[in-house]
Every structure is written in C-alpha cells, then in structure tokens.
Amino acid sequence: MSQLLQHLINGLAAGTIYALVALGYTMVYGVLKLINFAHGDVMMVGVYMGYATAFALGRQAQRSLWGVVVIFAVAMVGCALLGFLIERFAYRPLREKPRLTALITAIGISFALSYGFQLDVGFLPGASPRAFPEVIVPSEWFIVGDRDVVVWNWQVISFLIAVGLMAALQFLVYRTRFGKAMRAVSFDHRTAALMGIPTDRIIALTFMLSSALAAGAGLLYAIKDTSVSPLMGLYVGLKAFVAAVIGGIGNVPGAVVGALLLGLVEEFVVGYAASTWRDAVAFGFLILVLLVKPGGLFGRVAAEKV
C-alpha cells in the first residue's frame, strides 16, 4: 500500500508538469487549429533562460525566494516574447494557407531551435547536457513509516506552482473578457473579427500565454530532472502532446486530466515493470484511448463536409 501511495505522489508530480505544457498545445490548437510542434522547444529555451538567470544571480541569491521568483519571471517573460515573435513572423503570414504549410513551418521552427541551440557559438549553450542549478535545495518534507513514503519539498512546491498556474489559466479563460474573446476566436475567428474582436491580438496573446506556461513547466522539469540539454524540448513536448491528445486536443480540462493520467501510467510502469517500457506503454495508452474515444477523453470528432 505504501509503495502504491509513493507511486501516486510521483505520478501526480510528473503529470502536473506535463499538464502545463499540454495546455499550451491545447490553447494554440483551440484558436488556430494548429499543432504547434515548436512548443516543446520554446519550453527548452525557457529552461536555458532560467539557467542563465540563475548563474547571473549567484549561488546564494538563486536559492532565495526572490531569486526563484526572478528566475521564473525572466524565463516566462522571455518565452512569452519568443512566442509572440514566432506567431507574428512565422504563423500569421500562413494563416489563410493550407494547414499543412503551417504544420511544416512548426516542425521547421522546432528543428531550428533544438539544433540551433546545439551550436557552441556566442550565447548558444552547445550540445553537451548541463546540470541545472539547485534553486530549490532537496529536502524531505514528509516521511511515513520507515521511509515507506517520502514526499520531497520540490514535489510539493512544483505541484503547488503548477496547480496555481492552471487555476490562473482557468480563471483567465472562463472569467475574463480576454477569455471570452479567446473562446469566440476558437469557435470562428472570421465571425469574431466581424463582431469587433481583435483576432490578431487575441491569437498573439494566446501564443504568449502558452509559451509562458511552457517556460514555467520547463523550469519545474529541470528542477526535478536537474539535467538540461537542447533536445529536452522534443522529449517533454512529445509527451505533453500525447497527454493533450489523450484528454482531447482543444479541451483545457481534458489536457490536464490527460497529463495526470499519463504521469500516473508512466510512474506505475517504472515502479511495477521496467523503465525501458515507459515510453512504449505511454504511446500504447494513447492508442487504446483513441480506439475507444477517437476524439480523446473529453474531445469531439469534427465532421467536415466535402
């Protein structure tokens, strides 16, 4: 029983990080019907921004409360600006083009970021993995029995930060004028424009918001995993995309549920089977869900008139 509880804690901690990235895929798909495959690499850029900020602050300052806030703020604001630039100069000119064109562009941006950051030129980090600074010093906050169940401080802090960001997003989408405008653009951006909604601004802000969430998720992942590299965005981004599809791409609560389920499935596979089976079982779980619910757990299958 204690082993099951430990795996539940670990799975939920991982799932909340996946959820923040999956929400970015879902938001962009909701307003543009575009799978932004560069989203995971935007997360990677945010991690390196946090990495550079932490070293600029110094060892003592980076572990203080204000230091952690500064690291998250710099990474999230920087990625929000990156998301704006990507939408403005890469996706907006292709908005009326076939969807395949935008999809290929997204893949190209992903490769440009992930492989461009492997160049050891100027401010670029190079291909070698680096250890992320210990901005949160690991310590055991809760122990049950003879270390049968251990809850670490970074798990609790990551969970609270992720839940706080998701709650803020939920409030923004369903309780504000911007959220109402975003949902109108998601329903039909042409009709929304005729109703006076600034669709370009709403779409740009959606990209900025999703990119900021990706940066926050990336920092939480780096604090947990400690090793960062230019290709980390491909791996985490793909897992988050799988989570978004499981929940129903375009559905905000579905992305969260799908990510939590994926985190739990991976943790149970690692705990009760073998870590080498983790990725295979994750994609097997995706296939199983789509066989039962082709639109995802909370999604709908759209029918197009030919």
Side-chain angles (χ1 to χ4, degrees), residues 83-134:
F84 170 78
L85 293 174
I86 291 174
E87 190 279 328
R88 178 63 184 85
F89 296 106
Y91 294 143
R92 190 178 298 182
L94 304 177
R95 196 172 295 167
E96 302 302 326
K97 302 294 183 181
R99 291 181 185 175
L100 182 61
T101 305
L103 182 64
I104 294 172
T105 302
I107 295 173
I109 295 171
S110 172
F111 284 170
L113 290 174
S114 59
Y115 290 100
F117 264 64
Q118 295 187 54
L119 299 175
D120 194 4
V121 179
F123 65 90
L124 297 175
S128 301
R130 301 192 181 193
F132 195 80
E134 280 190 346

